[in-house]
Amino acid sequence: MNIQHKIRRILSFLNKTYGARPPFKKTDPIDELVRTILSQNTTDKNSLKAYAVLKINLKSWDELLKTHTRRIAQLIRHAGLANIKADRIKSVLTEIKKREGRLNLANLTRLDIEAALDYLRSLKGVGPKTAACVLLFSFGKPIMPVDTHIFRVTKRLGLVPEEYNIEEAHKRLSAIVPKDLIYQFHLGIIEHGRKTCIAQTPKCGVCCVYRLCKFKKKAFYRKKELCR
Ligand code: SF4
């Protein structure tokens, strides 16, 4: 089975199991950038709470630039690492304003994926996942953001070689997932990672992609060897 066919089959099983995903709707790039920075090293629940508090308390992102970093940290405390994230968000937005003359990333629309990635990665504190989230969710560019769930599950499914690091996984998945399926595949794998293919205790016995999984087979043979 070729890799793209395998990806289509995996997605079809995920869709049957977890239901239809919300239709693609572009987000504001600055919102996406801030939201993704807040999501680093914490749960969605905590980062979304921090983001909501920030939005309620600030009239605009321009106002954030005039707000003391200590106050920003206080507002985003639910996301954890508040001092680091407050400093990161403020310096990223300050740099965008300096380069663009306003808090707007509309210029990225005109760039190809590599150039847009380079632009975002050149902002201090913006890693491959954050950059890819902005390009996929705000500009609809076909690039796969790789978070901890996607990194783990796609390796188990044999889509990413085990020895690959996160940067290599980004490149590999962006290249092999059919462009029109990246958004759906991204959401589907994350949901699978949260609900079934859990880090320490994957529920292989009830997994919808069990037959397509390399990790499951390995675990099975390893167990058999141990029983000899
Ligand atoms: S079979 Fe197990 S390891 Fe493989 S994808 Fe399913 S839950 Fe994850």
Side-chain angles (χ1 to χ4, degrees), residues 153 156-157 192 196-197 202-204 207 209-210 213 215-216:
V153 177
R156 286 176 173 174
L157 287 168
H192 190 58
T196 309
C197 193
K203 300 174 187 170
C204 303
C207 175
V209 288
Y210 162 91
C213 181
F215 179 87
K216 170 63 190 154

Side-chain angles (χ1 to χ4, degrees), residues 40-89:
Q40 293 164 356
N41 304 98
T42 190
T43 62
D44 279 356
K45 192 179 163 206
N46 291 340
S47 66
L48 290 174
K49 196 169 176 186
Y51 179 76
V53 174
L54 203 54
K55 287 290 263 187
I56 288 167
N57 282 276
L58 299 176
K59 288 194 198 80
S60 65
W61 293 127
D62 276 294
E63 191 183 331
L64 182 139
L65 297 182
K66 295 178 208 139
T67 305
H68 199 286
T69 311
R70 225 176 308 135
R71 169 74 179 140
I72 301 170
Q74 210 177 32
L75 294 173
I76 64 168
R77 64 188 178 282
H78 296 291
L81 303 173
N83 291 329
I84 294 171
K85 289 180 182 176
D87 190 48
R88 193 169 286 171
I89 290 168

Side-chain angles (χ1 to χ4, degrees), residues 15-195:
N15 285 345
K16 274 185 205 142
T17 306
Y18 303 113
R21 323 260 146 236
F24 178 72
K25 203 171 149 224
K26 284 185 185 171
T27 57
D28 175 84
I30 304 290
D31 287 358
E32 193 62 49
L33 196 49
V34 173
R35 205 167 22 233
T36 314
I37 291 173
L38 287 173
S39 77
Q40 293 164 356
N41 304 98
T42 190
T43 62
D44 279 356
K45 192 179 163 206
N46 291 340
S47 66
L48 290 174
K49 196 169 176 186
Y51 179 76
V53 174
L54 203 54
K55 287 290 263 187
I56 288 167
N57 282 276
L58 299 176
K59 288 194 198 80
S60 65
W61 293 127
D62 276 294
E63 191 183 331
L64 182 139
L65 297 182
K66 295 178 208 139
T67 305
H68 199 286
T69 311
R70 225 176 308 135
R71 169 74 179 140
I72 301 170
Q74 210 177 32
L75 294 173
I76 64 168
R77 64 188 178 282
H78 296 291
L81 303 173
N83 291 329
I84 294 171
K85 289 180 182 176
D87 190 48
R88 193 169 286 171
I89 290 168
K90 195 166 178 181
S91 66
V92 163
L93 297 198
T94 303
E95 181 62 23
I96 292 172
K97 180 119 187 202
K98 197 170 131 196
R99 290 188 200 178
E100 305 297 321
R102 56 189 180 147
L103 274 176
N104 190 304
L105 286 170
N107 278 336
L108 295 189
T109 313
R110 288 192 283 276
L111 303 181
D112 63 25
I113 290 190
E114 284 308 316
L117 252 185
D118 286 347
Y119 179 102
L120 290 169
R121 293 292 307 274
S122 69
L123 299 166
K124 194 166 163 257
V126 173
K129 185 192 92 171
T130 303
C133 281
V134 173
L135 295 181
L136 176 65
F137 298 124
S138 302
F139 295 94
K141 295 194 188 276
I143 180 168
M144 174 74 106
V146 179
D147 72 351
T148 168
H149 296 298
I150 294 188
F151 194 49
R152 176 181 73 254
V153 177
T154 54
K155 279 193 175 188
R156 286 176 173 174
L157 287 168
L159 301 176
V160 170
E162 276 178 34
E163 67 277 14
Y164 271 29
N165 62 30
I166 200 126
E167 292 260 4
E168 291 165 328
H170 269 99
K171 285 189 188 140
R172 162 97 178 148
L173 290 168
S174 296
I176 62 171
V177 179
K179 293 191 184 340
D180 57 323
L181 299 182
I182 285 187
Y183 175 73
Q184 295 288 325
F185 194 72
H186 174 83
L187 297 183
I189 293 284
I190 287 183
E191 191 161 5
H192 190 58
R194 282 188 187 135
K195 294 182 174 165

